Amino acid sequence: MPRHELLSETTDFLITRGFSTARFGLILGTGFGACAQAVEQKSVVPYRFIPHFPSSTVKGHEGNLIYGGRDEASVIVMQGRVHLYEGYDIRQIAYPLEVMRRFGVEVLIVTNAAGGLNPRFETGDLMATRHHIHPIGLKLMGDLAAGTDGDPCYDDALRESFLQISIQENKPVQQGILAWMPGPSFETRAEISLLKSLGADAVTMSTVPEVLAGRRLGMRTAALSCISNVWTGRKEETVDTEDVVSTVESSAGRCSDLLVRLIRLVHQGNACT
Ligand code: HPA
């Protein structure tokens, strides 16, 4: 079936479940699921019931698509995501973004858990992405990366607004360069050294494909990471997935506030320019 017909089947189904136009798209990564409570939930549909939609298989990802509202703004929330390492290809990862676009999403905010590489970062810090690095290579990215060559990807005004809001709350978000690694295993010490030498401030296993897909669809994009662990370079260093999830979960209240305030600011036309 051609892709546009698949997309029509998906959106027709979601319309029957109460979905309608939305200006904002929000992807909640590992441990961020509770942030969905910040929107008034009008419809919650598990991914596995949505025709042609990829399902989350990983811990910390609830796997619900939510249509909701907040302060007059309509939002489509992905409560949980899918990753390359779950066996999905880039086009399947991009599919939910195409669905969001069909519902009119213009502004995409993507969240993730990330390992801190910058020695100034502490566990629990939040980081807004300035740029990304994906050392995996363009071939794998396929047509997703085409047309975004040299594109800054991350909207300056959205990032600056995150910073301003967080300053008002007395805990400024960090800003930095996000590296994408395929996972699912955490990086080796040699990979961590490599990423640090490339100038990356944090590393994640998601986000970059979704941001590229969003950009290709003409969305303004922002990404917010919760630094769930910091790579100090010590020999015995290990990362535990349970700790990653629980660290992000304990930041969820703060993240929700930031996300809600950003949506309000942008929707009222008061975001930084
Ligand atoms: N590396 C990659 N992805 C991650 C990490 C990490 O250290 N922490 C949370 N997500």
Side-chain angles (χ1 to χ4, degrees):
M1 198 188 274
R3 196 154 174 102
H4 67 270
E5 286 180 24
L6 298 177
L7 282 162
S8 296
E9 281 193 0
T10 306
T11 48
D12 288 350
F13 168 81
L14 289 168
I15 290 166
T16 68
R17 300 297 293 264
F19 278 59
S20 184
T21 49
R23 184 165 180 215
F24 294 87
L26 182 58
I27 303 181
L28 299 177
T30 304
F32 281 89
C35 296
Q37 287 157 16
V39 299
E40 184 207 338
Q41 300 183 4
K42 298 177 182 152
S43 177
V44 180
V45 188
Y47 297 158
R48 64 182 184 283
F49 296 150
I50 307 174
H52 316 304
F53 215 79
S55 279
S56 304
T57 62
V58 181
K59 204 175 164 54
H61 293 260
E62 292 80 353
N64 293 315
L65 194 66
I66 300 170
Y67 181 69
R70 179 75 202 211
D71 299 317
E72 315 284 304
S74 293
V75 190
I76 294 178
V77 183
M78 285 182 73
Q79 192 185 31
R81 60 152 55 82
V82 296
H83 305 80
L84 202 67
Y85 66 72
E86 292 172 76
Y88 291 111
D89 66 26
I90 289 293
R91 298 199 79 204
Q92 288 168 301
I93 295 174
Y95 193 79
L97 283 306
E98 290 175 56
V99 173
M100 286 187 187
R101 186 66 205 130
R102 286 242 176 160
F103 282 106
V105 168
E106 295 167 13
V107 180
L108 175 70
I109 308 167
V110 184
T111 62
N112 59 64
L117 304 172
N118 185 321
R120 288 185 296 104
F121 286 4
E122 290 174 12
T123 299
D125 278 356
L126 300 181
M127 183 190 95
T129 301
R130 273 183 193 286
H131 299 294
H132 64 229
I133 298 174
H134 59 85
I136 294 172
L138 284 175
K139 179 108 181 83
L140 189 64
M141 300 300 281
D143 55 5
L144 203 60
T148 55
D149 315 16
D151 185 328
C153 282
Y154 302 87
D155 189 280
D156 286 339
L158 295 177
R159 193 184 59 252
E160 196 53 37
S161 299
F162 262 138
L163 183 65
Q164 294 306 326
I165 296 164
S166 65
I167 288 172
Q168 287 161 15
E169 296 188 343
N170 273 330
K171 195 152 193 300
V173 295
Q174 308 279 7
Q175 302 199 33
I177 295 177
L178 183 68
W180 179 47
M181 291 292 275
S185 43
F186 291 105
E187 293 69 34
T188 64
R189 292 183 67 217
E191 286 164 340
I192 292 296
S193 307
L194 171 73
L195 295 173
K196 285 185 178 179
S197 73
L198 291 174
D201 295 292
V203 53
T204 189
M205 299 175 197
S206 66
T207 297
V208 171
E210 295 145 343
V211 165
L212 287 174
R215 285 301 301 151
R216 241 178 51 123
L217 294 162
M219 298 175 187
R220 290 172 66 192
T221 53
L224 186 70
S225 303
C226 176
I227 304 299
S228 57
N229 52 287
V230 177
W231 293 96
T232 60
R234 273 185 290 108
K235 237 191 182 142
E236 67 280 10
E237 204 156 45
T238 56
V239 182
D240 183 75
T241 307
E242 306 271 334
D243 293 344
V244 166
V245 176
S246 65
T247 303
V248 180
E249 282 174 350
S250 42
S251 308
R254 186 173 164 231
C255 291
S256 284
D257 289 349
L258 275 180
L259 295 169
V260 163
R261 292 186 61 187
L262 181 74
I263 289 172
R264 188 185 303 143
L265 210 65
V266 174
H267 200 55
Q268 292 170 347
N270 294 328
C272 299
T273 48

